[in-house]
Amino acid sequence: MKRLTCIFLITVLALGAGSCKKFLTVAPPDRMSDASFWKTKSDVESAIANAYGFLFDILTNGPYVPGNGDFRAGEIDAPPSFDVFAAIAQQDLTNKNRLARYNMNSLADWYPFYQSIAACNISLDRIPAVAALSEADKKQYMAELRFLRAFTYFYISRIYGDVPLYTEAYDRRSLPRAPMVEVLQFCLKELNEIREDLPWQYDDPTKWGVRAARGAVYSLIANVDMWAAGFDKDNQRAYWKEAAEAIQALKASGRFELLPLEEWRRIFKGRTRESLFEFSVNTNYGTTTRYVSIGQWTLHSPLVVGYASSDVYYSSDYIKKIFPVDKSDKRRDLWFYLPYANNNQSMFMKYSNVVNMITSASWLLDDDLIMFRYGGELLTGAEALANLGQDGPAREMLNLVRARAGTEPYTGSGQDLKNFIFLERQRELIGEGVRWYDLVRTGRITDPEQVKSYLTQDQFNRGGWMWPIDEKARNFNPNITLNSYWTR
């Protein structure tokens, strides 16, 4: 498993840092509470880098993003030698032996996410008193930290459901789990308060996507709203309205664009006009991942050495459903090799920026860890607008994405339009760790016609959509209750 050889690439690329070696001496997190640390702008930049880096390190501890976001839906076939992925698709999430490979059993431990939240809370407490910072610096840093904290809470809410809500530095109370909708409403309040405190996008392209900007804030607002709408049904229209307005503002900013699909490797390498929020992976700066990206298992020669076949592959039934054989679509043609083969000669090539290709044990994927990008967020906006009955604007956003894919525009309306947008998200965002969450928030997870690894309504109601929480959470906090569905 990877480990960073310097603190975090974000420091080098986005904070204007010097050499990688310099950041081997960045103060560790336990020094963040030391008053002697908070003196210079460099100290604060290091703390900001740590905040981004904590989250990067958590999300790359294993294939957490594709594991819960893609494999869990069941449309990816894996042989017995990759039983960990079969276990996830079979919802066998308390079987630590089956999940031990690639650290997937560690996703049950939410403590690392709270280390990231604590780092944000401490920095938010300390930064206002740093005399070396201008007011503009303080505003930017505080906005970035509040964004990162909100993103973390949003991310773990989708994994675990209700979570403890810590917002103050050095808070040692044993807080119980807060209702998920309350946590999401906290995130929305935070994001709306800071959304004007950052530029839409930075002039420096090395910061695109890897530093939180207004585009990332508006994207997160929309995604939090769409998730909240799935569970707070009495207020759905208000959430959809805010989500639609956020993406319309994102589009109207003129700072983002859909790159030609033929440049897909550049899109997923990151820091483009399509980038909204992502974590940089760059071997030149020592940030490497292995056994994290879905591309690790879906590629074979000649794209990688030493593998005559892919380890896993998308089932042909699923690919035919989202990419019908008789319909043109560049995404199918560019992102897949033998898409309908239904065996391990097929390749999913969306993530295929490969480096160090010397031996089968040395090659690494150099694609960024994409959280939000413009193509996906146009579809978020289209979904919100369709839910509001604004079919014309919804089709406009939808067809921008379809035009880029070289496929015919959609002309339907009503429920047909809503269903089509859902399928379009599967086409556009396949392999990007969002399918399971889309199924859950829209309620489609209980429909066996929509997903292979479906849940019954009873399983859903009892929390079967959540990931189990490790029992040791109660060792740190006796007021924690576990996800009861998984404690049987």
Side-chain angles (χ1 to χ4, degrees):
M1 190 60 204
K2 59 89 204 153
R3 272 295 174 262
L4 305 185
T5 60
C6 64
I7 295 298
F8 302 113
L9 177 60
I10 184 69
T11 306
V12 178
L13 291 180
L15 292 179
S19 69
C20 188
K21 181 178 179 181
K22 173 181 178 181
F23 286 90
L24 293 173
T25 59
V26 168
D30 59 0
R31 278 199 57 210
M32 293 178 68
S33 59
D34 185 347
S36 65
F37 174 71
W38 298 95
K39 296 296 184 184
T40 68
K41 186 174 182 178
S42 178
D43 290 339
V44 176
E45 288 174 342
S46 296
I48 299 293
N50 280 340
Y52 282 96
F54 273 134
L55 196 50
F56 173 87
D57 213 24
I58 297 163
L59 294 177
T60 57
N61 188 47
Y64 294 167
V65 174
N68 198 42
D70 296 300
F71 283 99
R72 198 170 173 188
E75 289 96 7
I76 302 173
D77 289 335
S81 56
F82 289 88
D83 185 56
V84 58
F85 298 134
I88 295 170
Q90 294 163 8
Q91 314 302 321
D92 191 11
L93 305 184
T94 57
N95 191 326
K96 294 183 178 180
N97 290 330
R98 294 185 76 189
L99 294 183
R101 193 171 187 181
Y102 309 129
N103 297 325
M104 279 307 302
N105 58 319
S106 297
L107 186 56
D109 182 9
W110 66 18
Y111 178 71
F113 288 105
Y114 279 95
Q115 288 182 303
S116 175
I117 290 167
C120 289
N121 287 341
I122 292 171
S123 296
L124 287 167
D125 178 74
R126 292 289 185 165
I127 285 174
V130 179
L133 297 179
S134 68
E135 290 305 311
D137 288 336
K138 292 178 182 178
K139 179 183 286 189
Q140 175 181 323
Y141 291 147
M142 297 284 281
E144 286 187 82
L145 289 163
R146 292 171 77 180
F147 167 84
L148 285 171
R149 182 173 62 180
F151 176 84
T152 306
Y153 273 122
F154 163 68
Y155 204 88
I156 63 176
S157 292
R158 296 189 305 170
I159 299 172
Y160 310 110
D162 299 346
V163 295
L165 181 59
Y166 286 92
T167 63
E168 303 293 333
Y170 319 113
D171 190 342
R172 300 186 184 279
R173 292 175 297 166
S174 297
L175 296 180
R177 296 167 70 181
M180 181 176 66
V181 171
E182 290 184 12
V183 175
L184 298 173
Q185 289 172 344
F186 165 79
C187 294
L188 290 171
K189 180 178 181 294
E190 287 282 287
L191 294 166
N192 279 303
E193 288 179 359
I194 57 97
R195 64 182 187 175
E196 306 302 320
D197 292 348
L198 293 167
W200 274 110
Q201 187 56 286
Y202 297 97
D203 294 331
D204 181 354
T206 65
K207 297 181 181 180
W208 292 351
V210 298
R211 288 291 293 273
R214 196 179 306 175
V217 175
Y218 275 63
S219 299
L220 183 53
I221 287 172
N223 279 268
V224 174
D225 276 317
M226 297 305 283
W227 186 259
F231 294 88
D232 186 11
K233 296 188 184 300
D234 290 341
N235 296 296
Q236 278 185 326
R237 289 192 67 84
Y239 293 124
W240 291 335
K241 182 175 183 293
E242 185 175 62
E245 290 173 349
I247 302 306
Q248 286 172 321
L250 184 74
K251 180 175 177 289
S253 74
R255 297 303 302 269
F256 308 97
E257 64 185 45
L258 295 173
L259 273 64
L261 205 66
E262 290 80 3
E263 299 181 26
W264 95 89
R265 285 193 173 93
R266 190 160 74 89
I267 294 170
F268 295 102
K269 184 65 202 80
R271 295 188 300 282
T272 71
R273 285 292 186 188
E274 191 159 340
S275 298
L276 289 166
F277 185 54
E278 61 201 37
F279 293 93
S280 284
V281 176
N282 192 309
T283 56
N284 290 331
Y285 291 94
T287 53
T288 61
T289 63
R290 195 167 178 83
Y291 311 123
V292 169
S293 166
I294 195 172
Q296 187 79 39
W297 301 279
T298 62
L299 301 179
H300 62 68
S301 61
L303 296 186
V304 296
V305 297
Y307 292 90
S309 59
S310 301
D311 297 321
V312 304
Y313 56 90
Y314 278 97
S315 70
S316 61
D317 286 345
Y318 179 64
I319 298 303
K320 288 175 183 176
K321 177 181 178 180
I322 62 173
F323 294 114
V325 176
D326 61 342
K327 300 292 184 181
S328 62
D329 200 306
K330 291 181 182 179
R331 293 168 296 195
R332 175 197 58 208
D333 299 339
L334 292 171
W335 295 346
F336 286 91
Y337 171 72
L338 300 178
Y340 308 118
N342 205 42
N343 59 45
N344 57 13
Q345 291 306 301
S346 176
M347 272 197 292
F348 176 56
M349 303 182 294
K350 197 175 202 179
Y351 303 100
S352 53
N353 284 296
V354 182
V355 295
N356 295 341
M357 200 164 64
I358 301 172
T359 68
S360 60
S362 65
W363 65 265
L364 297 165
L365 288 166
D366 215 33
D367 300 280
D368 278 8
L369 189 64
I370 307 290
M371 298 289 106
F372 304 130
R373 62 180 178 86
Y374 190 48
E377 296 322 305
L378 286 173
L379 295 176
T380 302
E383 180 185 345
L385 288 163
N387 288 341
L388 292 168
Q390 299 181 36
D391 290 358
R395 283 193 299 268
E396 180 185 352
M397 284 196 182
L398 164 67
N399 286 327
L400 286 173
V401 177
R402 290 183 62 75
R404 193 260 294 266
T407 193
E408 62 191 15
Y410 184 75
T411 59
S413 59
Q415 187 60 47
D416 289 342
L417 173 61
K418 296 174 187 178
N419 292 339
F420 193 88
I421 291 170
F422 182 79
L423 282 173
E424 192 69 22
R425 284 181 63 84
Q426 294 176 62
R427 286 184 278 266
E428 179 68 20
L429 298 173
I430 187 170
E432 295 186 42
V434 301
R435 173 153 167 74
W436 177 262
Y437 303 119
D438 279 358
L439 289 162
V440 169
R441 67 178 176 79
T442 62
R444 289 176 169 88
I445 192 63
T446 62
D447 184 353
E449 297 297 318
Q450 299 274 352
V451 57
K452 183 176 181 180
S453 295
Y454 68 94
L455 302 178
T456 66
Q457 189 64 54
D458 177 66
Q459 288 174 319
F460 180 86
N461 292 343
R462 292 189 292 117
W465 62 269
M466 305 173 196
W467 197 274
I469 299 168
D470 196 295
E471 292 181 1
K472 71 180 181 182
R474 292 191 293 196
N475 296 336
F476 295 103
N477 183 345
N479 292 323
I480 292 299
T481 58
L482 303 181
N483 283 335
S484 59
Y485 178 83
W486 298 105
T487 59
R488 61 189 185 278

